[in-house]
Amino acid sequence: MLKYSTYQSIYDKPQATRSNWVDGIRSSRLGRSMVKIALLLIVLMLTGTGVVSAFAAASDGHDRTESATFVVRPGDTLWEIAVDHKPRGKDTRVYVEAIKRINGLNSSGIQAGDTLILPD
């Protein structure tokens, strides 16, 4: 009788084992590192997409609703203009920054005759 044979019955149920390369990847140090890197990349892509969407939403023009314009008179400051025209309950500092952002100002320096767009 033969001790070893290459014959395999087509009626035998195959054993539920993983392939050797999957076992090799899981057991190797390089394989574990690659799995960790892949998971890290997935997490970074998901969170990065949210950050990009937040910045895109802030700069797409929805916050630039123009309600009024104001011509600067001699002696006016951004602070005084903000105090006089800001919505009730809004912080004056936030309103000054909104005026600067909408009008493309890098500083609070304004001159008589400048026309400013005032946000809602």
Side-chain angles (χ1 to χ4, degrees):
M1 180 157 218
L2 294 172
K3 189 170 186 180
Y4 300 104
S5 172
T6 58
Y7 171 78
Q8 182 178 1
S9 172
I10 61 171
Y11 300 108
D12 290 340
K13 293 183 181 179
Q15 296 179 1
T17 60
R18 290 175 285 199
S19 62
N20 289 337
W21 69 273
V22 172
D23 289 334
I25 288 176
R26 286 194 173 177
S27 64
S28 72
R29 176 175 274 174
L30 176 64
R32 287 189 300 246
S33 297
M34 294 297 284
V35 169
K36 288 178 184 178
I37 290 172
L39 289 174
L40 178 67
L41 288 175
I42 290 170
V43 169
L44 288 176
M45 285 188 332
L46 293 175
T47 57
T49 304
V51 170
V52 170
S53 299
F55 282 119
S59 64
D60 64 358
H62 291 298
D63 61 343
R64 294 183 179 208
T65 56
E66 302 172 8
S67 64
T69 57
F70 181 81
V71 178
V72 179
R73 296 177 296 229
D76 283 342
T77 64
L78 275 181
W79 187 266
E80 292 169 347
I81 295 169
V83 168
D84 292 341
H85 295 91
K86 70 179 176 74
R88 182 178 294 186
K90 188 160 189 162
D91 187 7
T92 305
R93 295 169 294 188
V94 173
Y95 197 71
V96 167
E97 290 302 317
I99 292 172
K100 287 168 54 176
R101 184 179 62 245
I102 286 176
N103 291 286
L105 300 174
N106 294 326
S107 68
S108 297
I110 55 173
Q111 296 179 358
D114 288 346
T115 302
L116 299 176
I117 300 169
L118 301 177
D120 288 335

